[in-house]
Every structure is written in structure tokens, then in C-alpha cells.
Amino acid sequence: MHTMWKGTISFGLVNIPVKMHAATENKDIKLRQLHKKCKTPIKYEKTCPNCDEDVKSEDIVKAYEYAKNKFVVLDDEELEALKKEQEDKAVEIVDFVQLEEIDPVYFEKSYYLSPSEGGSKAYALLREALTDTGKIGIAKMMIRSKEQLAVIRVYKTAIVVETIHYPDEVREVGDVPNVPSQESVGKKELDTAKLLIEQLTTEFEPKKYKDNYRTALMELIEAKKNNEEVEIGKDTKEKPDNVVNLMDALQESLDRAKSDKPKTMKPKKKTTTAKTGTKTKKATS
């Protein structure tokens, strides 16, 4: 794996030299934009609308817009010095909490940590301590010019960094439009809904979930590349009925879930054998 960051994780006086690697990868299919007439890729050039001229990379500066068309210009040297000052600090675990205390809305991106030279023993120590206590660490670290709040936890055999949003980055639920505060829910509907949830409850198996759109898009690309005939739009999946009544929709869903669920074989009655002396007697339960 490509190393994207090197540093030190510390808790108390224990320092662990580590390397960080992206734990996930974006598998989106990237499509280029072409000129329809000649199929040439479109170029995007940086221009200044005020000077009406093309701008080279060395002529571009970074700035913060604090009011409409009012900017504070920041030099590359200032930004680099500030970034290095933060990156040189060890990533210190400041708190240990339970993973269940953090709502998934806070989670952003996952990274694997591997020990650098001489860090294997301390790495294993932290991994075992986190596993045995069932706790996760809360830390701050610099990633790509941004100070991140992060969770340090164990995933299988590796220590993982999960970057999480700061509280002020998570929008208030109260700002979401049209969310009902109190709605009268009938007991029959609620019981049926809970029964439906129970019927559809299973163990989480990540491998059974596939990106159907990406697969179909790649098949389309391959077919067109090989000049094959392409047919799109045949949806063989059964569409849900247009059921207006909530109770009817719940009951219909429950009936379908029961019929779709594979039948389990009833266990046969076991027979046990009890030995008495040299003879064997059969006992039935």
C-alpha cells in the first residue's frame, strides 16, 4: 500500500512510529468530456475575467474571502510553515471512549496504520489494550493541510484511524425541513412495522452488496468498445404495487418477506445411546 503519511501516535509516554495508508478506494468510473463534433477531450484553462488573459500556475495566489469581493491573501510560505508546525507534532490520543458513543454521522474516512521501524511492539501493545478494554482513542492530526479529529480503533488485525467531523461541521437536525416532531402512530401499524423489521433482520455480510450501476456501466463500456449491440431499459425487477394505505403496504411487505425467506429444516429428534456394561441401550428424547 502507498504510504500517505508518516508520524507518531502517542498515549501517555508511549510513542508509536507509524505509517498511514488509505483503507478505502473510490471505484467510481470516471468519464471524460469530449467535443461532440470531433471527439477531442475538452481543456479547462484558468483565465482572469478582469484582465481577460490566461493565468499561469505561478501567477495564482491563495486567499480567504471574508466579505463579498474582499480577500486576505496568504503566501505559500506562510501556509507551508503553519502546516509543518502542526505536522511535526505527534498525534496524541487525548481521550478513550466507547465506539457506541459516537453517532455514524460524524465518521468521514478510514485509514490503516502500520508500524514503522522499531514500532511493532508498541503497536501490538496499543492494539491489544484497545481490544481488551473495548475502547477507542480520540486524537487530533494533520492530514492534507487540515487538522482532523480522529478515532483510533482496531479493525481485525490492524489499528485504524477514522477521521471524524468536528461538532460544528455537522448540521443541526432542527434545520432539516419538514421533519415531523410528534406524529400519531397506530399500535397496529407499529407492531406490523416491527414484525417486518424482525423478518428482514439478518447478519451483516458486506460481500453480498454490489454496486449494480457500476457493473452495468462497465458492461456497457465493454460492449460499445467491442462494437456490440446494446439494449438498455429492460427492468426485470418486480416493481412494488401502488399501495396507498399504510397498513396495507406494511402487511403486503410482511407477506412478501415471509415468502422470500428461505425455509429452515426442522431439527430431527436426537437419539442418545447409553452403555450399560457390555450392552448398548438406545434412549429416545
Side-chain angles (χ1 to χ4, degrees), residues 197-254:
I197 290 172
E198 277 299 315
Q199 195 70 30
L200 297 175
T201 297
T202 182
E203 287 187 10
F204 178 57
E205 297 175 26
K207 289 184 179 178
K208 79 177 186 179
Y209 303 104
K210 308 291 182 185
D211 187 340
N212 295 327
Y213 172 75
R214 189 180 70 200
T215 303
L217 181 55
M218 277 309 302
E219 288 173 355
L220 173 62
I221 290 169
E222 285 298 318
K224 290 182 76 72
K225 190 171 75 174
N226 298 326
N227 295 317
E228 296 173 6
E229 295 244 353
V230 180
E231 250 185 90
I232 302 174
K234 286 190 175 180
D235 189 5
T236 55
K237 191 175 179 182
E238 186 181 352
K239 293 183 179 178
D241 296 330
N242 187 22
V243 183
V244 178
N245 184 279
L246 181 59
M247 190 61 220
D248 290 345
L250 285 167
Q251 190 59 54
E252 178 67 20
S253 301
L254 187 60

Side-chain angles (χ1 to χ4, degrees), residues 9 47 61 73 81 117 119 162 173 176 192 213 245-246 256 268 279:
I9 301 289
T47 60
V61 294
V73 177
E117 295 73 19
E162 303 267 7
V173 174
V176 182
T192 308
Y213 172 75
N245 184 279
L246 181 59
R256 290 188 184 189
K268 294 180 180 178
K279 292 182 181 180

Side-chain angles (χ1 to χ4, degrees), residues 136-242:
I136 61 169
I138 303 293
K140 283 185 178 182
M141 62 192 304
M142 282 290 292
I143 304 177
R144 292 175 179 164
S145 303
K146 182 185 177 185
E147 186 179 65
Q148 292 275 9
L149 194 59
V151 158
I152 311 292
R153 68 181 186 91
V154 176
Y155 174 65
K156 295 185 177 179
T157 59
I159 294 176
V160 174
V161 169
E162 303 267 7
T163 56
I164 60 176
H165 295 288
Y166 285 98
D168 62 352
E169 293 178 317
V170 178
R171 293 175 174 176
E172 290 293 333
V173 174
D175 295 337
V176 182
N178 304 321
V179 174
S181 51
Q182 291 292 330
E183 191 77 27
S184 178
V185 178
K187 185 179 183 305
K188 190 175 181 182
E189 286 92 338
L190 183 59
D191 288 343
T192 308
K194 290 196 283 190
L195 202 60
L196 177 58
I197 290 172
E198 277 299 315
Q199 195 70 30
L200 297 175
T201 297
T202 182
E203 287 187 10
F204 178 57
E205 297 175 26
K207 289 184 179 178
K208 79 177 186 179
Y209 303 104
K210 308 291 182 185
D211 187 340
N212 295 327
Y213 172 75
R214 189 180 70 200
T215 303
L217 181 55
M218 277 309 302
E219 288 173 355
L220 173 62
I221 290 169
E222 285 298 318
K224 290 182 76 72
K225 190 171 75 174
N226 298 326
N227 295 317
E228 296 173 6
E229 295 244 353
V230 180
E231 250 185 90
I232 302 174
K234 286 190 175 180
D235 189 5
T236 55
K237 191 175 179 182
E238 186 181 352
K239 293 183 179 178
D241 296 330
N242 187 22

